[in-house]
Amino acid sequence: MKQSPASGTAGLNTASGFRTRIQEASDALRSHLGALPTAQPEAGKLKTYIISVGEALACHDEIKVLRQLVRQKGFEPVPEDGGQDSIPRLRDRLQEMLSLMQNPLLRQELHSLGGAELARAIPELSATRKSPQAILLRREEEKLKSSYARLMPLPGNLQSAKAELGTVPLPRAARKKDWLDQARVWEERGDALEQLFTELVDTRKRLALALGFDSYAGYLAHRRRGMSWLPEQFLRLTAEITFPLLRSLHEYRKAALGLTRLRPFDLSTRNIVGALDFPQWRKSMERLMENVHPYFAECFRVMTREGLVDLRSAHAGTCLHLQHSRRPYVQAPAGISPKELMAAIHEIGHGIHILFAAGQEIPFYRGITPLSGELAALSVELLASPHLEAFFEDPAVAARVRRKHLEGIVAVFSTATAIESFEEELYSKEMSAATRQKTFAGIMEKHLGLIDYTGYEAILRTWYHRIPTLVFSPGYFLYYAVAQAGALSVCRRAGRSGEISAEFMRFMRLGTRFTDERLYEAAGASPSAMVDSLSVEQLGKTLYDLYQDRKSVV
């Protein structure tokens, strides 16, 4: 593994560690900017110039991420060191680089560095995007998102009926009570969440206007302009081949439980709860990654050794990119419920991807796009799911967690189709909260499979309060669905042996060296394989094998 400039520096588990990293990045930023020539680089020196500008930008971005983490953790703020004057200088250099892309005298040298790929990887610097109004609205959006996140119930507030780890199924009455208790917690905060969501939608619509778009739906469509390589009607086609499997799973579950109607509280009949302390969690995760691939385990050891993994009680995890250090910073749930454990594996997958791409010499190629990042993380999830015994002594519990994970994948495409339809309505029309709720419920009812919400329509109408991607990252569910389809193709190539292909390992090292289309092809998930009935068939067969153990089903 290529070592980063920050290897061996202070870990990020203390306030002093953050101060040290911020100081290192600030010093490096000044050094890179000071070394840049005052005039445009001569022929033959373009690569050095581009690397220096890229390293300076990486320092600047890392400082922003570190300061964000300092605020999040409640540490004493690190004083500004006067480096703010570097921002306009950095923007000037980036603008100069974009001009250099058009210089015919440098065409051959540019071609050797990637040419069009390099121009694409350099951040855009349009005046509109950097307008004061747009900046203020983005800040307003971030504040609203933070307020919303603080109001969401933590997982610990949502457990009323608990069982010993996977030993005794919960009776249906207890499952129903637990589900309704959870709904009551959300309902108590419903008005406040609805108000914040309304303000978020309004802020995003104003942001779209400030950016020159007719609507926020138009802005989302603009962000997806690089996805034209996808098969036409991708979401509809993937939903069509997965929806019959989803209905079959529901039918099977009804029969296994002896039910005439499958209710939302029948989707899980056991609570797998609890959390591990960091030494236990680290040991289990390292063993799991070793079973997936020894190099993945080594990447994980780098993260833990350098204090780059933070366990916390949260709905989901995050992975931040420290671009100067060429390192990830992973915040992962400590819980071992199916949702929390797979979220932790997902974020570790992002971290592994960042470490793989750290070897790219040109800093602009070390980035991770949403589509390629999710392909990596979702593939790691699937590759890891056969090895969950690393966390559970009872193989039946590990099988149950794997089954829940795979069942969730079956539902991804119909859910993505529903959310895409809802967001199109939400961000292109004016609607009241009541109309919004009615619209959401009407769309979701078409994509629920056999789940019967009769009598619980009020709960379904506000279920979007609970969907983090919809609240915090509009439009992202499409990226997620595309990456999930790609991950299924990657894992079909791995087969039952689980041996990771050389193509996928190469993809992990490419960063943003190529377009998403070429990156997916490199990983073995070409556009022609994105709507892949064989991958869905393999997924169904794996679930069928898990269902042969009735304990795993109920």
Side-chain angles (χ1 to χ4, degrees):
M1 181 186 306
K2 184 178 178 65
Q3 294 299 301
S4 78
S7 291
T9 59
L12 293 180
N13 45 16
T14 64
S16 62
F18 277 97
R19 283 196 297 271
T20 299
R21 281 285 179 103
I22 290 173
Q23 188 60 56
E24 288 174 351
S26 298
D27 291 344
L29 172 58
R30 282 189 290 268
S31 175
H32 287 300
L33 284 175
L36 287 171
T38 55
Q40 287 195 1
E42 303 171 1
K45 296 184 179 179
L46 181 61
K47 180 179 179 180
T48 301
Y49 176 80
I50 287 174
I51 289 175
S52 293
V53 175
E55 294 289 6
L57 182 63
C59 293
H60 172 255
D61 288 345
E62 180 163 326
I63 292 167
K64 284 171 55 180
V65 170
L66 292 172
R67 289 188 180 281
Q68 172 190 332
L69 286 168
V70 166
R71 289 193 298 271
Q72 180 192 102
K73 290 176 174 292
F75 293 150
E76 184 178 346
V78 180
E80 298 284 354
D81 63 356
Q84 289 299 102
D85 63 336
S86 65
I87 296 174
R89 292 169 60 198
L90 192 52
R91 286 180 183 161
D92 289 344
R93 292 304 193 182
L94 283 168
Q95 195 62 58
E96 186 177 83
M97 280 184 58
L98 292 173
S99 298
L100 287 172
M101 300 292 106
Q102 312 302 320
N103 189 335
L105 298 177
L106 300 174
R107 185 172 299 158
Q108 184 174 350
E109 193 172 355
L110 277 170
H111 180 74
S112 69
L113 300 176
E117 286 84 1
L118 179 60
R120 175 187 47 77
I122 296 173
E124 295 180 17
L125 292 171
S126 69
T128 305
R129 188 177 175 200
K130 298 298 180 182
S131 71
Q133 185 184 9
I135 291 171
L136 289 174
L137 287 168
R138 289 190 188 281
R139 288 175 181 170
E140 184 178 338
E141 181 188 15
E142 290 304 314
K143 288 179 182 178
L144 289 168
K145 286 160 64 173
S146 296
S147 298
Y148 195 104
R150 287 194 295 269
L151 196 58
M152 292 176 77
L154 290 171
N157 302 134
L158 300 180
Q159 296 292 345
S160 55
K162 295 184 180 180
E164 287 295 318
L165 187 59
T167 55
V168 182
L170 291 171
R172 199 179 194 211
R175 299 199 305 269
K176 179 178 178 180
K177 180 180 183 301
D178 189 34
W179 189 82
L180 289 174
D181 284 347
Q182 293 181 29
R184 197 169 296 113
V185 173
W186 284 95
E187 184 181 5
E188 289 168 355
R189 308 180 188 202
D191 290 344
L193 289 170
E194 192 67 56
Q195 178 61 36
L196 285 170
F197 190 75
T198 298
E199 292 177 28
L200 268 170
V201 171
D202 179 65
T203 300
R204 285 165 180 157
K205 288 179 176 179
R206 288 186 288 133
L207 174 62
L209 294 175
L211 294 172
F213 296 94
D214 293 335
S215 67
Y216 195 76
Y219 168 66
L220 292 178
H222 174 76
R223 283 171 49 185
R224 295 193 292 264
R225 65 194 184 281
M227 300 173 69
S228 59
W229 54 275
L230 283 173
E232 191 174 353
Q233 298 292 311
F234 164 77
L235 279 180
R236 180 181 63 80
L237 292 172
T238 50
E240 284 179 358
I241 63 175
T242 54
F243 199 66
L245 177 57
L246 180 65
R247 292 180 63 89
S248 296
L249 298 181
H250 289 169
E251 288 284 9
Y252 196 97
R253 189 165 190 80
K254 275 175 57 180
L257 294 172
L259 302 174
T260 56
R261 290 196 300 176
L262 189 67
R263 307 292 254 163
F265 43 80
D266 293 321
L267 297 181
S268 182
T269 57
R270 294 175 185 262
N271 276 343
I272 301 175
V273 296
L276 302 178
D277 60 26
F278 186 72
Q280 292 174 305
W281 183 89
R282 178 180 60 193
K283 184 177 179 181
S284 296
M285 186 64 76
E286 184 175 338
R287 185 163 63 245
L288 181 147
M289 289 298 165
E290 191 73 52
N291 289 331
V292 179
H293 197 284
Y295 200 73
F296 287 9
E298 177 56 28
C299 288
F300 179 70
R301 283 190 285 269
V302 168
M303 295 183 224
T304 55
R305 188 166 59 239
E306 297 185 14
L308 300 170
V309 177
D310 177 21
L311 287 189
R312 58 178 187 164
S313 297
H315 304 276
T318 59
C319 180
L320 302 171
H321 192 174
L322 305 176
Q323 296 195 38
H324 163 62
S325 304
R326 308 188 198 184
R327 289 291 188 265
Y329 185 79
V330 172
Q331 294 176 307
I336 54 173
S337 70
K339 185 176 181 179
E340 291 170 307
L341 179 55
M342 298 315 297
I345 293 170
H346 183 94
E347 302 307 332
I348 293 298
H350 280 308
I352 292 170
H353 191 193
I354 288 170
L355 288 170
F356 266 66
Q360 287 286 339
E361 183 181 14
I362 295 177
F364 296 108
Y365 291 152
R366 295 181 207 138
I368 305 296
T369 70
L371 274 177
S372 66
E374 292 301 339
L375 174 61
L378 291 169
S379 296
V380 171
E381 277 189 43
L382 275 168
L383 293 164
S385 67
H387 306 291
L388 296 176
E389 289 87 350
F391 277 87
F392 304 103
E393 293 182 1
D394 185 349
V397 177
R400 192 173 302 113
V401 174
R402 186 185 186 200
R403 176 183 58 76
K404 292 293 293 181
H405 171 234
L406 297 181
E407 286 178 346
I409 291 173
V410 176
V412 159
F413 303 101
S414 56
T415 302
T417 304
I419 289 179
E420 181 88 351
S421 299
F422 177 62
E423 288 183 336
E424 178 64 30
E425 295 280 316
L426 179 66
Y427 289 115
S428 61
K429 300 177 181 177
E430 295 298 327
M431 58 177 69
S432 65
T435 302
R436 178 164 63 225
Q437 293 172 10
K438 183 179 179 181
T439 300
F440 178 78
I443 292 172
M444 288 303 297
E445 284 169 355
K446 301 173 185 176
H447 298 87
L448 290 172
L450 301 182
I451 305 172
D452 187 349
Y453 270 83
T454 303
Y456 305 119
E457 292 88 352
I459 295 174
L460 179 61
R461 281 197 294 271
T462 58
W463 198 268
Y464 57 82
H465 290 170
R466 313 189 192 192
I467 305 176
T469 305
L470 194 156
V471 174
F472 300 122
S473 306
Y476 201 83
F477 227 107
L478 175 60
Y479 295 123
Y480 192 86
V482 171
Q484 189 68 79
L488 287 170
S489 293
V490 167
C491 291
R492 183 165 71 86
R493 290 167 64 88
R496 289 188 175 272
S497 68
E499 185 176 350
I500 301 175
S501 69
E503 291 88 350
F504 182 73
M505 297 296 278
R506 177 174 177 269
F507 150 77
M508 293 282 277
R509 292 184 172 90
L510 289 174
T512 52
R513 181 62 180 79
F514 301 114
T515 62
D516 283 319
E517 179 180 7
R518 289 185 63 187
L519 288 171
Y520 269 56
E521 289 174 345
S526 63
S528 61
M530 295 304 290
V531 183
D532 185 4
S533 58
L534 291 177
S535 293
V536 175
E537 183 180 327
Q538 178 176 301
L539 179 60
K541 286 179 179 177
T542 303
L543 279 165
Y544 177 79
D545 290 344
L546 289 168
Y547 284 164
Q548 297 314 295
D549 178 3
R550 191 173 184 278
K551 292 180 181 178
S552 173
V553 181
V554 298

